[in-house]
Amino acid sequence: MKETFLRIERLTSSFSMAGACAMLVVASVLGMFQIVTRFVLEQPAEWSEILIRLALIWMVFLGIPTAFRHGAMVSVDVLYRWSPPKMRRFLDWMVAAASMALILVILWYGWDYAQRGRVQSMAGLESISMFWGYLALPVGALFCILGIVGNLLDPMREELETAQ
């Protein structure tokens, strides 16, 4: 069961990170497009700025699950380094519980905002609903839940090993 969950979690974390990378590419390409249209052609495309913001929001919320999976959660590193193994496991559970509480709030209110935003349109992109902007919160939160549980089952502490 544990191995099956970790396999699924690796797949979903890889998918979310690929999505985050794709959104970074989209934001970069649109940024270059915006520079060319504004300063070279002197005909700014107002819609590109909104799409850049949307891509950056999606990038962040799709990238966070990988940070959770790799143990880059809010933690007390000094306590963790000086604690015996049983205390470390207790700290793992406390950090996971606090992170899960935050993510569940983001999931709940993110979905609520997405539902309310269905009737709004994006400024500059009247044909696109704000639902798609707000949807990044619950989608990212769902991926984060899997990352938090995955880190609890199979801890990775890469941030402690690479910290300077």
Side-chain angles (χ1 to χ4, degrees):
M1 180 74 173
K2 176 181 170 181
E3 292 304 316
T4 303
F5 178 82
L6 290 174
R7 196 173 319 116
I8 291 168
E9 183 278 323
R10 273 192 301 274
L11 181 67
T12 58
S13 289
S14 297
F15 178 74
S16 71
M17 185 50 106
C21 291
M23 289 297 109
L24 178 60
V25 168
V26 168
S28 300
V29 168
L30 286 173
M32 290 302 297
F33 175 78
Q34 187 178 30
I35 289 170
V36 169
T37 58
R38 179 165 298 190
F39 297 111
V40 176
L41 303 177
E42 295 180 2
Q43 300 262 333
E46 295 87 14
W47 55 267
S48 61
E49 184 174 342
I50 291 96
L51 285 181
I52 290 170
R53 287 182 195 172
L54 190 63
L56 290 175
I57 290 167
W58 274 93
M59 179 192 70
V60 168
F61 281 97
L62 290 177
I64 291 172
T66 301
F68 276 117
R69 178 59 182 109
H70 289 270
M73 293 180 265
V74 176
S75 63
V76 183
D77 293 342
V78 173
L79 272 179
Y80 196 84
R81 289 177 194 218
W82 293 345
S83 300
K86 286 185 180 180
M87 182 62 168
R88 289 179 183 179
R89 199 62 187 146
F90 174 75
L91 286 173
D92 284 342
W93 278 91
M94 293 305 296
V95 168
S99 299
M100 190 66 80
L102 173 66
I103 292 303
L104 289 174
V105 168
I106 290 173
L107 176 67
W108 180 267
Y109 285 104
W111 180 250
D112 184 47
Y113 271 45
Q115 290 298 311
R116 291 178 189 202
R118 285 182 304 174
V119 296
Q120 281 181 299
S121 61
M122 290 187 188
L125 294 172
E126 283 73 28
S127 61
I128 298 178
S129 169
M130 280 301 296
F131 174 80
W132 299 108
Y134 292 134
L135 190 63
L137 281 80
V139 169
L142 288 174
F143 285 120
C144 284
I145 290 169
L146 295 173
I148 292 167
V149 174
N151 189 58
L152 196 58
L153 294 175
D154 181 30
M156 298 174 126
R157 292 184 178 75
E158 295 177 3
E159 88 284 358
L160 288 178
E161 286 136 18
T162 58
Q164 304 219 357

